[in-house]
């Protein structure tokens, strides 16, 4: 394993990345790394593997020398319904044309000296993925299938420094790559709705890139208690030129800033209890946060300050526990709850992006083998339905749209000690 290099890890991840989409806390993953997923995404003060920098770059200082490789099977159940529409759009619509998504991840950490550690985390987001065999917009003239596909890949090299025993500060840069496609949205592809007709739908996949910054701290404030704090900057992305008539700012789709705090308490030699609070600023990205109603005050799709999906900023609370049964077996469990990013007034356009689940319940385990460790985690996000309230504008025939989503995630990973 001494021949493994960060460059090789990045190459393996990019080649293997399936451009899948996963919607959890909005379209941010509930946790990065199989061990974090086993405790419902807790990770700000509880680093457990080489992907720790995704939650807090200071965590790189606490995980030793290791290589973690994993894959998730993500299975969402999403869709929408419409009722009371004057144009005949009423009905139930399934967005499950594609059900199974495979999402790889990997992490690498190296303790360079007692005070300095380096790391690399490669992971993904997704979330805005729908595949409607029966087009919800057919009553407005749309033909064929409908849906959108957004996936995001992050490559995060990190550095962590221990200024004092039990404390670490960390920094990381993040390279972000995202890919998007839309189809079946012809009712929105005209001069009355879009600032750039012809660049709204059925243009194939387009891509965008950008850079961001992460900062973090973890400190032992009592012999059995660690606190942590982390911040990830907004990532300014290049534009989706093929979809400049859909996203605000002529194809802009930046990745929002997020920040949080965490605590980990070693209640006994075997039991650790931990919690995170996270804030995700979806509303600050206009293509995500601007409501559809902007369209009727001159803010066309694609225009500066134009209409968007109407998502709100959300807070997420995560609770988790790890229990070392013996020197080989560790068990994990966790639960989290997020605020709802999709208001009931915005469900019509969010037929395309029903990222409405709120609760996650997770179980996980790790078992040490000769030369490595095998880990697994399962997460269930129960079905949530957001019913519309004034959601379909009169220009689209009125009535109400509802969005629903349920998720199952199974992740398996293997760790090599380096």
């Amino acid at each position: 394993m001494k021949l493994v290099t960060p460059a090789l890890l990045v190459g393996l991840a990019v080649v293997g990345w399936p451009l899948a989409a996963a919607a959890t806390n909005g379209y941010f993953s509930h946790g990065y790394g199989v061990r974090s997923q086993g405790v419902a995404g807790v990770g700000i003060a509880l680093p457990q593997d080489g992907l720790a920098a995704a939650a807090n770059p200071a965590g790189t200082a606490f995980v030793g020398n290791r290589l973690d490789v994993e894959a998730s099977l993500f299975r969402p159940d999403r869709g929408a319904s419409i009722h009371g529409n004057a144009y005949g759009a009423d009905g139930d619509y399934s967005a499950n044309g594609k059900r199974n998504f495979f999402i790889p991840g990997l992490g690498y950490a190296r303790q360079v000296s007692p005070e300095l550690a380096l790391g690399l985390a490669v992971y993904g987001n997704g979330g805005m993925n729908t595949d409607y065999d029966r087009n919800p917009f057919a009553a407005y003239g749309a033909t064929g299938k409908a849906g959108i596909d957004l996936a995001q890949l992050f490559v995060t090299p990190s550095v962590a420094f221990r200024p004092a025993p039990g404390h670490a500060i960390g920094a990381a840069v993040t390279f972000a790559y995202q890919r998007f496609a839309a189809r079946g949205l012809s009712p929105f592809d005209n001069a009355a709705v879009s600032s750039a007709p012809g660049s709204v739908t059925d243009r194939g996949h387009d891509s965008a890139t950008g850079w961001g910054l992460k900062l973090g701290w973890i400190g032992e404030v009592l012999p059995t208690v660690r606190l942590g704090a982390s911040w990830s900057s907004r990532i300014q992305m290049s534009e989706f030129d093929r979809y400049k008539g859909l996203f605000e700012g002529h194809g802009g789709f930046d990745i929002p800033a997020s920040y949080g705090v965490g605590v980990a308490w070693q209640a006994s030699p075997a039991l650790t209890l931990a919690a995170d609070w996270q804030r995700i600023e979806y509303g600050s990205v206009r293509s995500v946060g601007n409501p559809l109603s902007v369209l009727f005050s001159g803010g066309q799709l694609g225009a500066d300050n134009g209409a968007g999906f109407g998502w709100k900023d959300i807070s997420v609370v995560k609770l988790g526990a790890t229990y070392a049964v013996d020197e080989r077996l560790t068990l994990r469990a966790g639960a989290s709850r997020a605020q709802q990013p999709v208001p009931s007034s915005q469900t019509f356009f969010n037929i395309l992006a029903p990222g409405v689940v709120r609760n996650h319940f997770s179980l996980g385990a790790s078992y040490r083998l000769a030369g490595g460790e095998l880990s697994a985690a399962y997460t269930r996000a129960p079905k949530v339905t957001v019913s519309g309230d004034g959601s379909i504008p009169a220009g689209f025939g009125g009535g109400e749209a509802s969005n629903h989503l349920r998720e199952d995630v199974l992740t398996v990973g293997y760790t090599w000690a380096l």
Side-chain angles (χ1 to χ4, degrees):
M1 296 308 301
K2 293 183 179 179
L3 297 178
V4 175
T5 66
L8 174 60
L9 299 181
V10 175
L12 290 172
V14 172
V15 170
W17 191 51
L19 297 174
T24 52
N25 294 322
Y27 59 87
F28 276 35
S29 176
H30 77 295
Y32 302 103
V34 60
R35 293 166 185 78
S36 177
Q37 290 181 21
V39 288
V42 174
I44 294 176
L46 185 67
Q48 299 184 78
D49 55 33
L51 283 107
N56 185 347
T60 303
F62 295 95
V63 297
N65 300 323
R66 61 192 301 137
L67 169 65
D68 299 280
V69 179
E70 64 185 48
S72 296
L73 169 61
F74 176 77
R75 186 175 173 86
D77 176 11
R78 67 272 197 221
S81 63
I82 297 174
H83 68 273
N85 183 258
Y87 291 169
D90 289 8
D92 296 322
Y93 300 91
S94 171
N96 295 326
K98 183 174 181 180
R99 288 297 302 273
N100 298 317
F101 301 90
F102 294 91
I103 308 169
L106 58 85
Y108 172 81
R110 171 68 69 178
Q111 195 75 39
V112 178
S113 71
E115 294 80 24
L116 183 67
L118 303 178
L120 177 71
V122 183
Y123 51 100
N125 276 336
M128 290 190 179
N129 178 278
T130 44
D131 190 357
Y132 289 96
D133 289 333
R134 181 183 171 217
N135 196 321
F137 307 113
Y140 309 108
T143 58
K145 296 182 178 182
I148 61 175
D149 181 29
L150 171 72
Q152 296 171 332
L153 172 72
F154 302 97
V155 180
T156 300
S158 60
V159 57
F161 177 72
R162 292 176 180 259
H167 290 260
I169 54 175
V173 293
T174 295
F175 170 75
Y177 172 88
Q178 60 184 8
R179 194 178 183 197
F180 177 81
R183 59 178 175 170
L185 309 183
S186 58
F188 303 98
D189 194 8
N190 58 74
V193 178
S194 172
S195 63
S199 297
V200 173
T201 187
D202 300 288
R203 300 292 311 278
H205 279 93
D206 199 1
S207 61
T209 59
W211 292 88
L213 177 67
K214 288 179 179 287
L215 300 174
W217 163 80
I218 295 176
E220 185 179 285
V221 295
L222 293 172
T224 59
V225 178
R226 283 178 177 170
L227 299 181
S230 66
W231 168 81
S232 297
S233 72
R234 175 169 170 162
I235 302 179
Q236 301 275 348
M237 303 296 292
S238 57
E239 284 76 24
F240 289 125
D241 292 329
R242 295 183 184 180
Y243 293 96
K244 62 184 179 181
L246 177 61
F247 289 126
E248 186 276 340
H250 314 286
F253 199 89
D254 291 346
I255 296 168
S258 62
Y259 54 89
V261 294
V263 59
W265 172 42
Q266 189 171 350
S268 74
L271 177 65
T272 299
L273 304 177
D276 285 355
W277 174 86
Q278 181 187 29
R279 186 72 171 172
I280 306 173
E281 297 185 332
Y282 289 121
S284 66
V285 178
R286 290 177 177 176
S287 53
V288 179
N290 280 2
L292 183 62
S293 59
V294 171
L295 178 66
F296 302 99
S297 58
Q300 295 176 303
L301 293 174
D304 290 334
N305 205 26
F309 289 88
W311 283 30
K312 300 187 299 182
D313 295 351
I314 65 169
S315 294
V316 187
V317 176
K318 308 175 183 182
L319 305 174
T322 71
Y323 184 77
V325 178
D326 54 36
E327 62 180 13
R328 286 195 169 191
L329 178 64
T330 299
L331 303 179
R332 301 180 180 87
S336 71
R337 182 169 177 82
Q339 293 178 314
Q340 179 57 252
V342 180
S344 58
S345 61
Q346 301 300 311
T347 53
F348 180 56
F349 208 33
N350 280 287
I351 287 173
L352 299 171
V356 297
V357 295
R358 299 186 62 189
N359 299 318
H360 296 81
F361 302 97
S362 301
L363 295 172
S366 294
Y367 189 79
R368 289 187 180 179
L369 304 168
E373 186 175 68
L374 180 65
S375 299
Y378 169 71
T379 299
R380 161 61 68 93
K383 182 177 179 179
V384 171
T385 299
V386 175
S387 299
D389 183 6
S391 58
I392 304 180
F396 289 92
E400 301 294 352
S402 298
N403 309 145
H404 70 261
L405 177 64
R406 178 178 63 82
E407 302 168 346
D408 293 281
V409 186
L410 176 64
T411 303
V412 177
Y414 191 82
T415 299
W416 289 270
L418 302 180

